[in-house]
Amino acid sequence: MKKKSIPIGRPSVLRHANAHSILKLLRECGSCSRADLVRASNLSAPTITNVVKDLLAEGLVEPLGEGESSGGRPPDMIRFKAERGCLLAVEISAESISLLLTDLNGNELDTSKFSLLKQKTTPEAVCGYIGDELKALLKKQKKTREQLLALVVGVPAITNVEEGSVLSISTLEGWRSVPLRVMLTKIANCLVIVENDMNLAALGEHYCGTAQAEKNFVFINIGTNVGAGIFLGGRIHHGSQWSAGEIAYLRLPSISRRQPTIHEFGELEMVLTSSGILKSWQEETGKAARTGREIDAVGILNLAQAGDPRAEKIVLHRAEIVADIIVDLSLILNPGLILLGGEVGSHPALIDLVRKQLEGDEFAVTKVGSSAPGNRAVLWGAISLALDAIPGVLLPQPAL
Amino acid sequence: MKKKSIPIGRPSVLRHANAHSILKLLRECGSCSRADLVRASNLSAPTITNVVKDLLAEGLVEPLGEGESSGGRPPDMIRFKAERGCLLAVEISAESISLLLTDLNGNELDTSKFSLLKQKTTPEAVCGYIGDELKALLKKQKKTREQLLALVVGVPAITNVEEGSVLSISTLEGWRSVPLRVMLTKIANCLVIVENDMNLAALGEHYCGTAQAEKNFVFINIGTNVGAGIFLGGRIHHGSQWSAGEIAYLRLPSISRRQPTIHEFGELEMVLTSSGILKSWQEETGKAARTGREIDAVGILNLAQAGDPRAEKIVLHRAEIVADIIVDLSLILNPGLILLGGEVGSHPALIDLVRKQLEGDEFAVTKVGSSAPGNRAVLWGAISLALDAIPGVLLPQPAL
């Protein structure tokens, strides 16, 4: 016999999968009877009874007593105990650390933000700030450290999710090959997941944003930098070395072929980002970089929308490049939707021109949408990962 | 309760999944005992006994009597009956129809080829040729029509696999929105699957070619036309409108932004294909198109390899474009391997120059490989799909 096949049918694996889907149903419905679960899950009554027993033992479910009878014996109602624990989402950017604490149903309990400006930003320092913020949040919400079941952190870098390590963040001090999961596990003492921020943003858009109905879509962020999260067949596509979606170095019609090294900005990134737009504005208006402070990229995009011809010219150049990116992504991946996010990417001045560029193009069949600004997609994507991880944390692991 | 979850744990679904994996193990090992299957599958002995009973009833497995004892009672050996039926792979191209008949273990029984040159090529005519070839093959191999369990056909077009319909083949007459599965089911009276030829080529490379070890890879064909099959996470990525991998219209540094209509050749395709290479050669050597007949694209690639400077210049231009495609695919998808196939794509003169273009590029981390010419990847990809479909055809369907 050559090799082992995947043991799809092992009872312990199966029981875990069943517990997972039942927990999800319970989370969605709040309270219901076992008979409701049988109907909604298509699983057998004995299976439901067994899984609910496990969940009761773990304190994830509580009995509510008898429900309303529809003629026969009134059903025993049960309820998902979302307050049994909490989940933490963390977003690390070049400027700040954002945190979001939710209950086990993903209901927001509290948030906090820690500015990294003028702070030490080594991995150790950043983990220290996260620990302090977490402690304050738990105290304020009257939760114990033991109640925190999962911490999911998003970083602006190529991330090995399996190892929980971060390849490199050029904008922070000493962030090369950082074993971030190990470091944060010491602080939080719970399940820790490390992910690329753009992947989390895509998950967030799927969980509660503009892409909830999509099976295949791409989230493109254009702001301080340029990146993408690629969601295919219902999950994030990571690639063979965890670097899928690193679109900042794409070769396109108006971009030269010269390749930067891996720690440099790509030419495309130098043009599309907020700082690239500001630089073009300074060149266009003849103002020196120093006095350019009075306006920022969003200001220039606003001017373009108001009809300023110099700003319009700058934005048109970006719209052409973004349209090229969208056409290439559409041809390769044929996603159902491409979502533009970030302060540049989601600005109406840019999106309107991008849509104009794509008009009449038989190949850009993909819908182009805009991510709602300020929707905290990275944090909500982190929470959606944490929610999926609950059964793995609380229920006995299947023996393989 | 909001919605139904996937019924992962239903016994009938489970039994079907188990039968599928046991059938695969049996196919791989030829003959073995039930105890061997328990060890290799990680499934329980009663499960194996039940599934083998189903397979015996279907005539897919036969008892071989007692095997060699390793001390205790000698085991009852069973054997997969690959001769119980047969599978047909069909590849439709602009020039010909190729057929490959195998047994239920994917062992080649016979092949045939039907030239479409100077023939009527309407969908009805093509289906007629396939019917005639199939009849001849079955007769020669002494198989009945009932023994044919599956027919998988590859077409050079965007294909809706769910509907079994072909969007458009511009090189054949009247191939617009063709319900090919329905048409072929009337002829073959068995399970029919219709797929894009590049997707099948990728599957073939995964089944028995250069990409057997890869979980994520892209197969790029460059020959009469340009296309790609995208294999991600262990399966073909089709996209939201079945058009993923249509790379012939990519926007790249040396390609203008003008977009052709969907039935035209893309500019990239006009340069990279065999006919594009021939055209450049005619321009380079000053020979008229009419007298260019004496050499073909492969001849020009051979000249480049032998050091002819005019041919080298032509191939270098193509290598630069192919390198651009590879860089963009690597950045977006981060596949473990990019395979170049087709008479232009797999030619050493091109591949060597492509590799040189990618040297020192920190972003083109992807391995670049060459598809073995003449390996009939499309046909073998079709057989691999047919093999996967056997349990679905022969075993009782799970009731959902």
Side-chain angles (χ1 to χ4, degrees):
Chain A
M1 308 290 292
K2 281 187 213 162
K3 50 183 173 183
K4 294 207 167 191
S5 71
I6 304 154
I8 340 176
R10 287 280 292 225
S12 57
V13 177
L14 185 61
R15 190 155 175 178
H16 204 255
N18 288 342
H20 195 112
S21 49
I22 292 168
L23 204 53
K24 194 156 176 275
L25 280 171
L26 269 166
R27 281 212 337 261
E28 283 167 1
C29 72
S31 66
C32 61
S33 70
R34 285 169 185 77
D36 290 334
L37 287 174
V38 172
R39 271 191 295 278
S41 70
N42 255 343
L43 293 166
S44 71
T47 301
I48 296 287
T49 304
N50 277 332
V51 171
V52 170
K53 205 193 290 173
D54 282 355
L55 297 174
L56 281 163
E58 286 295 333
L60 271 170
V61 157
E62 69 175 2
L64 283 181
E66 289 182 358
E68 263 179 57
S69 161
S70 54
R73 193 165 67 89
D76 270 345
M77 300 297 282
I78 51 173
R79 185 183 79 88
F80 179 65
K81 276 179 74 177
E83 70 280 19
R84 151 85 166 75
C86 54
L87 307 169
L88 183 69
V90 180
E91 177 180 5
I92 301 174
S93 76
E95 300 87 31
S96 63
I97 304 170
S98 304
L99 298 94
L100 167 64
L101 190 75
T102 74
D103 67 15
L104 297 189
N105 218 352
N107 297 310
E108 179 168 340
L109 295 175
D110 210 341
T111 61
S112 73
K113 194 160 185 168
F114 182 87
S115 172
L116 287 175
L117 303 176
K118 298 180 188 168
Q119 297 283 347
K120 213 169 139 110
T121 60
T122 59
E124 294 72 23
V126 167
C127 287
Y129 309 143
I130 292 172
D132 295 345
E133 293 290 316
L134 168 62
K135 201 172 161 184
L137 283 172
L138 290 174
K139 196 176 166 191
K140 212 170 128 199
Q141 293 300 319
K142 297 192 177 69
K143 297 277 177 197
T144 64
R145 185 64 57 121
E146 289 66 41
Q147 282 181 292
L148 182 67
L149 297 190
L151 184 165
V152 180
V153 57
V155 289
I158 296 174
T159 300
N160 183 325
V161 178
E162 247 165 52
E163 286 179 8
S165 62
V166 177
L167 182 66
S168 164
I169 307 179
S170 47
T171 47
L172 300 178
E173 288 165 62
W175 282 76
R176 296 272 168 101
S177 305
V178 177
L180 189 57
R181 185 170 64 200
V182 174
M183 296 172 73
L184 284 174
T185 304
K186 282 180 195 156
I187 288 165
N189 197 25
C190 68
L191 173 79
V192 174
I193 298 171
V194 182
E195 246 293 8
N196 170 270
D197 56 355
M198 291 303 101
N199 290 345
L200 289 182
L203 284 175
E205 294 290 351
H206 184 70
Y207 174 64
C208 59
T210 321
Q212 289 177 58
E214 300 298 332
K215 217 184 137 195
N216 301 301
F217 74 97
V218 180
F219 174 85
I220 300 177
N221 182 75
I222 309 173
T224 319
N225 41 31
V226 176
I230 295 177
F231 187 93
L232 300 179
R235 54 186 176 173
I236 290 296
H237 172 68
H238 284 103
S240 290
Q241 290 94 10
W242 304 98
S243 70
E246 291 294 318
I247 60 166
Y249 307 89
L250 282 180
R251 295 189 180 181
L252 296 172
S254 56
I255 304 291
S256 85
R257 275 196 184 117
R258 194 194 74 82
Q259 282 292 334
T261 66
I262 210 150
H263 300 299
E264 278 182 307
F265 260 30
E267 185 178 327
L268 185 152
E269 206 161 17
M270 288 195 283
V271 176
L272 285 185
T273 47
S274 306
S275 56
I277 289 175
L278 193 57
K279 193 161 164 261
S280 290
W281 176 256
Q282 286 157 355
E283 284 164 12
E284 193 69 34
T285 57
K287 285 187 187 167
R290 199 169 301 177
T291 61
R293 284 271 168 88
E294 60 218 34
I295 193 164
D296 60 6
V298 173
I300 297 160
L301 285 154
N302 289 340
L303 278 178
Q305 211 176 3
D308 179 295
R310 294 168 307 176
E312 273 182 337
K313 185 182 151 198
I314 290 169
V315 179
L316 178 63
H317 178 47
R318 272 74 191 172
E320 285 169 345
I321 295 173
V322 174
D324 290 339
I325 298 176
I326 289 173
V327 168
D328 284 359
L329 283 170
S330 297
L331 288 167
I332 293 171
L333 294 174
N334 181 223
L337 172 71
I338 291 185
L339 264 186
L340 294 173
E343 65 171 19
V344 177
S346 67
H347 197 287
L350 182 85
I351 293 204
D352 291 350
L353 282 175
V354 167
R355 290 217 174 98
K356 234 171 244 168
Q357 291 289 320
L358 294 172
E359 260 172 32
D361 189 328
E362 294 194 16
F363 297 92
V365 283
T366 301
K367 270 182 297 172
V368 176
S370 160
S371 165
N375 68 357
R376 301 182 296 174
V378 175
L379 291 172
W380 284 113
I383 291 300
S384 79
L385 269 191
L387 286 168
D388 281 344
I390 295 176
V393 175
L394 284 183
L395 299 171
Q397 284 303 303
L400 285 179
Chain B
M1 309 290 292
K2 280 187 213 164
K3 51 184 169 181
K4 292 207 169 192
S5 71
I6 305 154
I8 340 176
R10 286 281 291 227
S12 57
V13 177
L14 186 59
R15 191 155 173 175
H16 203 257
N18 289 342
H20 194 113
S21 48
I22 291 169
L23 205 53
K24 194 156 176 277
L25 279 171
L26 270 166
R27 281 211 337 259
E28 283 167 2
C29 72
S31 66
C32 62
S33 69
R34 287 171 182 76
D36 289 335
L37 287 174
V38 172
R39 273 191 294 277
S41 70
N42 256 343
L43 293 166
S44 70
T47 301
I48 297 286
T49 304
N50 277 332
V51 171
V52 169
K53 205 193 291 171
D54 283 355
L55 297 174
L56 281 164
E58 286 293 336
L60 272 170
V61 157
E62 70 176 358
L64 282 183
E66 287 183 359
E68 263 179 57
S69 163
S70 56
R73 195 165 65 88
D76 272 344
M77 300 297 283
I78 50 174
R79 184 183 81 88
F80 179 66
K81 277 179 74 176
E83 69 280 16
R84 150 87 166 73
C86 55
L87 308 169
L88 183 70
V90 179
E91 177 180 4
I92 301 173
S93 76
E95 301 87 29
S96 63
I97 304 170
S98 304
L99 299 95
L100 167 63
L101 190 75
T102 73
D103 68 14
L104 297 189
N105 217 354
N107 297 309
E108 179 169 339
L109 296 176
D110 211 340
T111 61
S112 72
K113 194 160 184 169
F114 182 88
S115 172
L116 287 176
L117 302 176
K118 299 181 188 164
Q119 298 282 347
K120 211 168 143 128
T121 60
T122 59
E124 293 73 22
V126 166
C127 287
Y129 309 142
I130 293 172
D132 295 344
E133 293 291 315
L134 168 62
K135 201 172 162 186
L137 283 173
L138 290 175
K139 196 176 169 196
K140 211 169 128 202
Q141 292 301 317
K142 297 191 175 69
K143 297 276 177 196
T144 64
R145 185 64 58 123
E146 290 65 39
Q147 282 181 292
L148 182 68
L149 297 190
L151 185 165
V152 180
V153 57
V155 289
I158 296 174
T159 300
N160 183 324
V161 178
E162 247 165 52
E163 286 179 7
S165 62
V166 177
L167 182 66
S168 162
I169 307 179
S170 47
T171 47
L172 299 178
E173 288 166 62
W175 281 77
R176 296 274 168 101
S177 306
V178 177
L180 189 58
R181 185 170 64 201
V182 174
M183 295 172 73
L184 285 175
T185 303
K186 282 180 194 155
I187 288 164
N189 197 25
C190 68
L191 174 78
V192 174
I193 298 172
V194 182
E195 245 294 7
N196 172 270
D197 56 355
M198 292 301 102
N199 289 346
L200 289 183
L203 283 175
E205 294 290 350
H206 184 69
Y207 174 61
C208 58
T210 321
Q212 290 178 56
E214 300 298 332
K215 216 182 136 192
N216 301 299
F217 75 97
V218 180
F219 174 86
I220 300 178
N221 182 76
I222 309 172
T224 318
N225 40 34
V226 177
I230 295 176
F231 188 93
L232 299 179
R235 54 185 178 173
I236 290 296
H237 171 68
H238 284 103
S240 289
Q241 290 94 11
W242 305 96
S243 70
E246 292 293 318
I247 60 166
Y249 307 89
L250 282 179
R251 296 191 180 180
L252 296 172
S254 56
I255 304 291
S256 83
R257 275 196 184 116
R258 193 193 76 81
Q259 282 292 335
T261 67
I262 210 150
H263 299 298
E264 276 182 308
F265 260 27
E267 185 178 327
L268 185 151
E269 208 161 16
M270 288 194 282
V271 176
L272 285 185
T273 47
S274 306
S275 57
I277 288 176
L278 194 56
K279 192 161 165 260
S280 289
W281 176 255
Q282 286 157 356
E283 283 164 11
E284 193 69 34
T285 58
K287 286 186 186 166
R290 201 169 299 179
T291 62
R293 285 273 167 88
E294 59 219 36
I295 193 164
D296 62 4
V298 172
I300 297 159
L301 286 154
N302 289 341
L303 279 178
Q305 211 175 5
D308 181 295
R310 295 167 308 177
E312 272 182 336
K313 185 183 153 197
I314 289 169
V315 179
L316 178 63
H317 179 47
R318 273 72 191 175
E320 285 170 345
I321 295 173
V322 174
D324 290 339
I325 297 176
I326 290 173
V327 168
D328 283 0
L329 284 170
S330 297
L331 288 167
I332 293 170
L333 294 174
N334 181 222
L337 173 71
I338 290 185
L339 264 188
L340 294 173
E343 65 170 20
V344 176
S346 67
H347 197 287
L350 182 86
I351 293 205
D352 291 350
L353 282 174
V354 167
R355 289 216 174 99
K356 234 170 244 167
Q357 291 290 318
L358 295 172
E359 258 171 33
D361 190 327
E362 294 192 18
F363 296 94
V365 283
T366 301
K367 271 182 296 173
V368 176
S370 158
S371 166
N375 67 358
R376 302 183 294 173
V378 175
L379 291 172
W380 284 112
I383 292 298
S384 79
L385 268 191
L387 285 168
D388 280 347
I390 295 177
V393 175
L394 286 182
L395 299 171
Q397 284 303 303
L400 285 179

